[in-house]
Amino acid sequence: MLNNKRCFLLIVFALFVLTACSRSGDGVEPPAGRVPEYVPPQGATVSLLAHTGQTLHGHTLVAQNDNFLLFLYEPRLSVIIQHRQSGAYMRSTVDTSRDTDNHLWQGLYMSGVTLDYIVGINVHFSRACLYHTERYLTVYYREDGFSAQVFFPDIQIGYTLVVTLEDDGFTAEIPQASIVEYDPHVTVGAFYVFPFLGHSYMGGDEGYMFIPDGQGAIIKLQDNESRFNTPFNEPVFGSNPGLEIEVSPFMFSNFMFTIEPQTVIMPVYGMVHTGRGIGFLGVIESGYENAAIEAFPNGVSTDFDWISSRFTYSHVVQQPTGMQSGFISTRTQRPNRIDLRMRYIFVTGDQATYTGLAVAYREYLTNTGAFTSAKMDEYRTAVDFLGVEQREWALFRLNVSMTTFAQAEEILHTLAANGVDRVYTRFDGWTTRGSIYSLPTRGFNPAGTLGGQRGLNSLQNTVVELGGTLTLVVNPLDIVIETNTFEAFNAMRRVNGRTADFMGGSMRVTTPTRTLELSERVASELGTRGFAADVIRMTSFLSAYSEGGTYFDRADSAALFRQSAAAFDYHHEAPALTTSFAYLWRYASALTVMPSTGSGYLFNYKHVPFLSIATSGMIPVYFEHVNFQANQRRFFLNLVETGARPMFLITAEDAALLRHTLRNDIFSSMFDLYKDLIIQYHHELSYLHEHIGDASIVRRYAQDNTVRIQWSNGLWVYLNYGREEAVVNGITIGPMSYEIVV
């Protein structure tokens, strides 16, 4: 009998394995891999404005509109864009090369477009430019710009650059279908497009570079006297774990030796010359999944300050040579398919500031439908409840109930009695095995220890009665191996074929296909019961992977994650998204646990609230939990300044109960400790938001410890981050305080 039972279990296990393996090989072509048909450029071979004879620094006028003039130096595809009213302009290349720089750097800063390519089995890039490299070049002119066909005969690679003058600047694109590779031993590695647009020499221009580090940061244009050795070089939307081997702080006894930049959540960067009254915001419109943002202060490799995006077509990965042996460096199976498209939005005059860049980005996001699902409702304070977690005990785990559904109701009634109503209620750890051990979320299974489905329904009714909203935290991505052994068959594999392990091997992530399946299932079950979701982790994770022996790049993952996010918009109840990358914002009703500042990276001159300005008045944004802020008063002033909303992580029980669970990073959360602070925050910020209404930030002025914020409805907010009283424009502001001027 025992042997029969063992045989039966082995057969079931084998069938499960075969099913999982057969599913992994379904697709042989990446879902985002379709290449649009290429239409060859057409137009005149001579500039339509050549008769004007208008030139600027050797560049010929090729297009114009009411706002800008576009000049081109054809041999190097170098452009200059000039503002008609002010005469201010920016150049895309350096005027003359420096003998102290090698050919690689000269080729980069003297060319409008630079191609890095790979020969044979090499893993190191070589460079083809428009300054040193032999090429064939044909330019076709249109009324609104030009197209340039480039071909390098030595490496048998060609591409087409399309530049179009717009009312707010210009766009530049290299269609994937235009790239030709006639030599099978040579492949495209990466592209730079106008990398030196707006460059400065030794900080000779007054101004700064903007980088999307967290909220945002600026790098001042100044002579750095060779203090810096490394650039800011960060991939858009974070690291690519499918290509990389995880390096965890646990490997170094939990010590971090450097300050790392925060994850890039917006595909933007900028350069502002405040002294000349002109600046641009570079928006990566297409190809951001495989792009990085690079900012080089002078002294890092060259004496120029420059900032650009780099689009990577071929990645180098570490391929294992056996189960016990090491790795060799090799390339991914196929190049990434990138329809490269950049938009350069220019700001001039008093708008040539980082605030002007943020306002321009907000207008761009609005015009492209990034906030179509947003619910810009009245002000709400967010309370994030933690329900159940588990801890190890003897032969099994014990539930640690931190907040039952009934206790959450009691807390909300207590807050309402003190004037805190319309609460944005977020509930984590609502499932049977808690917030961590239940991952991934696979259905609707409220924890019985918290009150079960009846208790959750009662909580939902209470929230609605008090004018609030309730969202349930859903994670369709992460897998806890210990409690989801069979789900591990759906784990994502790195490009080298090995399973991607995280947190020392205790965590994995589902394949994007499986994430979509889980999202559709959970969204349906929540939606039919009238619950909204707050989706976490999937919103801040993007990776290349392999499935069934096929290489999928990050664009393929993004395509499936978009479908996953859209699936949660069940019955037109859009989800909230936690720490979300910008490409998913169009699916969000609100953004939660968003960064409130930057990283303090090496050469950041100062943090700026770029993200908050860009989203103000468009979508509700909730910052990180108030509980864990080192300086809560300064954090409160940050909320006042940006119009963001606070979120408190709350439990009914003492956080000490979590010390033996996987949520032991929560050191303070009990409601009794935060009741008065929640009430204070709510009353002060509610009063502020009554004046803000649906307005957006249009100006920000900062000097020393004081900041002035102007909203689109005329409201002014004066803040003093200093320890002494300050007077600004006749307004007296107390230390670490603020004043509202209607």
Side-chain angles (χ1 to χ4, degrees), residues 56-57 59-65 67-73 78-84 86-93 163-171 194 197-198 276 278-280 343-348:
L56 182 61
H57 295 296
H59 294 57
T60 302
L61 179 66
V62 296
Q64 61 183 351
N65 57 29
N67 298 321
F68 295 101
L69 305 175
L70 181 66
F71 298 83
L72 171 68
Y73 178 61
S78 171
V79 300
I80 297 176
I81 187 164
Q82 183 178 37
H83 186 231
R84 294 190 81 145
S86 66
Y89 62 87
M90 279 187 164
R91 302 183 57 166
S92 69
T93 58
V163 174
T164 305
L165 187 65
E166 306 282 356
D167 289 339
D168 56 1
F170 70 94
T171 61
F194 301 128
L197 182 65
R276 298 195 294 115
I278 189 169
F280 77 84
R343 178 176 292 273
Y344 301 96
I345 303 173
F346 282 79
V347 292
T348 57

Side-chain angles (χ1 to χ4, degrees), residues 8 40 144 199 220 250 302 343 418 433 455 469 484 581 588 604 639 662 711:
F8 175 76
D144 60 351
H199 66 275
K220 190 175 183 180
F250 295 108
T302 72
R343 178 176 292 273
N418 287 274
R433 288 183 296 199
T469 60
N484 290 285
F581 293 152
N604 285 0
L639 293 169
L662 294 179
W711 293 79

Side-chain angles (χ1 to χ4, degrees), residues 292-365:
I293 293 173
E294 300 181 354
F296 281 69
N298 64 79
V300 181
S301 302
T302 72
D303 290 333
F304 296 99
D305 303 90
W306 62 280
I307 187 167
S308 176
S309 53
R310 183 175 190 266
F311 295 84
T312 302
Y313 287 70
S314 293
H315 295 287
V316 175
V317 297
Q318 300 299 307
Q319 182 67 40
T321 56
M323 295 298 293
Q324 301 297 327
S325 54
F327 297 82
I328 60 170
S329 296
T330 186
R331 299 200 306 271
T332 47
Q333 296 175 9
R334 63 170 176 84
N336 301 322
R337 293 169 176 174
I338 301 173
D339 268 321
L340 186 161
R341 181 179 172 89
M342 285 293 310
R343 178 176 292 273
Y344 301 96
I345 303 173
F346 282 79
V347 292
T348 57
D350 61 359
Q351 289 295 315
T353 63
Y354 57 81
T355 304
L357 297 184
V359 171
Y361 188 45
R362 181 172 67 227
E363 293 174 354
Y364 169 81
L365 290 171

Side-chain angles (χ1 to χ4, degrees), residues 334-658:
R334 63 170 176 84
N336 301 322
R337 293 169 176 174
I338 301 173
D339 268 321
L340 186 161
R341 181 179 172 89
M342 285 293 310
R343 178 176 292 273
Y344 301 96
I345 303 173
F346 282 79
V347 292
T348 57
D350 61 359
Q351 289 295 315
T353 63
Y354 57 81
T355 304
L357 297 184
V359 171
Y361 188 45
R362 181 172 67 227
E363 293 174 354
Y364 169 81
L365 290 171
T366 302
N367 293 335
T368 55
F371 303 119
T372 53
S373 299
K375 293 185 177 179
M376 199 60 196
D377 50 14
E378 56 190 339
Y379 169 78
R380 300 180 190 277
T381 297
V383 175
D384 185 6
F385 289 111
L386 177 62
V388 65
E389 193 42 81
Q390 292 187 332
R391 69 177 181 89
E392 298 290 344
W393 187 82
L395 300 178
F396 49 88
R397 298 183 194 85
L398 291 178
N399 283 333
V400 179
S401 297
M402 300 300 296
T403 315
T404 66
F405 300 135
Q407 287 174 323
E409 287 187 67
E410 183 180 347
I411 289 172
L412 292 175
H413 279 299
T414 300
L415 291 174
N418 287 274
V420 183
D421 54 3
R422 309 185 308 276
V423 172
Y424 179 88
T425 307
R426 184 176 185 262
F427 212 105
D428 193 6
W430 56 276
T431 53
T432 301
R433 288 183 296 199
S435 64
I436 301 294
Y437 281 111
S438 63
L439 299 179
T441 310
R442 287 175 290 183
F444 184 77
N445 53 344
T449 55
L450 300 182
Q453 183 171 341
R454 180 175 298 179
L456 186 55
N457 288 337
S458 177
L459 174 61
Q460 168 82 313
N461 293 334
T462 296
V463 170
V464 172
E465 288 171 5
L466 297 176
T469 60
L470 173 65
T471 61
L472 304 180
V473 174
V474 173
N475 183 343
L477 181 77
D478 291 321
I479 305 172
V480 178
I481 300 301
E482 185 180 354
T483 55
N484 290 285
T485 305
F486 290 113
E487 189 66 56
F489 288 107
N490 295 305
M492 184 192 83
R493 292 184 177 273
R494 301 186 196 274
V495 173
N496 60 22
R498 291 195 169 179
T499 303
D501 289 323
F502 301 91
M503 300 296 291
S506 61
M507 300 284 289
R508 292 179 183 171
V509 296
T510 58
T511 65
T513 305
R514 178 60 173 168
T515 300
L516 175 57
E517 291 177 4
L518 293 174
S519 297
E520 291 175 337
R521 180 195 304 175
V522 176
S524 175
E525 294 195 23
L526 291 183
T528 55
R529 293 173 172 84
F531 292 99
D534 188 321
V535 186
I536 68 173
R537 280 287 290 142
M538 180 197 78
T539 56
S540 57
F541 180 89
L542 199 57
S543 178
Y545 64 101
S546 63
E547 188 172 355
T550 301
Y551 166 66
F552 294 79
D553 71 16
R554 299 220 302 179
D556 305 317
S557 295
L560 290 169
F561 286 165
R562 287 189 191 93
Q563 295 179 52
S564 299
F568 283 99
D569 191 353
Y570 199 87
H571 293 321
H572 306 291
E573 186 66 35
L577 302 181
T578 292
T579 322
S580 173
F581 293 152
Y583 80 98
L584 293 176
W585 289 356
R586 68 173 58 247
Y587 307 104
S589 62
L591 301 175
T592 58
V593 198
M594 296 297 283
S596 61
T597 185
S599 65
Y601 188 61
L602 180 63
F603 40 65
N604 285 0
Y605 175 63
K606 65 170 65 173
H607 306 302
V608 294
F610 181 95
L611 172 63
S612 292
I613 296 171
T615 55
S616 62
M618 298 291 110
I619 188 170
V621 175
Y622 295 87
F623 278 173
E624 310 108 325
H625 296 110
V626 177
N627 313 43
F628 313 128
Q629 303 304 316
N631 187 331
Q632 290 186 348
R633 183 58 186 174
R634 187 176 186 87
F635 183 76
F636 175 78
L637 292 180
N638 196 3
L639 293 169
V640 172
E641 176 185 341
T642 60
R645 306 178 182 195
M647 176 173 284
F648 294 82
L649 179 58
I650 295 300
T651 58
E653 307 298 333
D654 196 317
L657 296 176
L658 295 169

Side-chain angles (χ1 to χ4, degrees), residues 73-271:
Y73 178 61
E74 188 173 300
R76 293 191 277 118
L77 296 181
S78 171
V79 300
I80 297 176
I81 187 164
Q82 183 178 37
H83 186 231
R84 294 190 81 145
Q85 285 71 32
S86 66
Y89 62 87
M90 279 187 164
R91 302 183 57 166
S92 69
T93 58
V94 174
D95 51 358
T96 57
S97 62
R98 270 61 173 176
D99 294 336
T100 54
D101 297 323
N102 60 38
H103 278 205
L104 291 177
W105 285 108
Q106 289 176 355
L108 185 68
Y109 63 59
M110 297 296 288
S111 303
V113 179
T114 303
L115 162 68
D116 290 343
Y117 62 92
I118 305 175
V119 179
I121 61 173
N122 291 333
V123 293
H124 299 290
F125 293 165
S126 300
R127 179 158 292 172
C129 66
L130 302 173
Y131 185 61
H132 293 300
T133 313
E134 180 185 355
R135 81 282 185 192
Y136 301 132
L137 174 63
T138 305
V139 179
Y140 300 90
Y141 295 95
R142 312 180 314 274
E143 288 187 359
D144 60 351
F146 65 91
S147 301
Q149 287 184 319
V150 182
F151 186 76
F152 299 99
D154 289 346
I155 58 176
Q156 294 289 291
I157 290 179
Y159 62 87
T160 299
L161 171 70
V162 182
V163 174
T164 305
L165 187 65
E166 306 282 356
D167 289 339
D168 56 1
F170 70 94
T171 61
E173 51 189 317
I174 298 178
Q176 170 69 48
S178 77
I179 300 173
V180 295
E181 299 170 310
Y182 292 137
D183 188 337
H185 302 294
V186 184
T187 187
V188 172
F191 270 110
Y192 285 101
V193 178
F194 301 128
F196 269 67
L197 182 65
H199 66 275
S200 177
Y201 180 72
M202 295 293 288
D205 294 280
E206 181 183 345
Y208 42 77
M209 296 183 284
F210 162 74
I211 57 174
D213 175 27
Q215 267 278 331
I218 58 176
I219 303 170
K220 190 175 183 180
L221 299 181
Q222 59 185 358
D223 186 351
N224 295 313
E225 300 177 346
S226 301
R227 292 196 304 270
F228 306 127
N229 297 314
T230 59
F232 173 89
N233 185 353
E234 288 297 307
V236 176
F237 301 148
S239 61
N240 193 343
L243 302 177
E244 304 159 2
I245 299 173
E246 182 190 23
V247 177
S248 169
F250 295 108
M251 299 178 183
F252 306 101
S253 301
N254 243 8
F255 287 105
M256 294 298 290
F257 300 103
T258 60
I259 295 176
E260 297 293 333
Q262 289 195 19
T263 298
V264 173
I265 64 177
M266 302 171 287
V268 296
Y269 59 91
M271 174 74 79

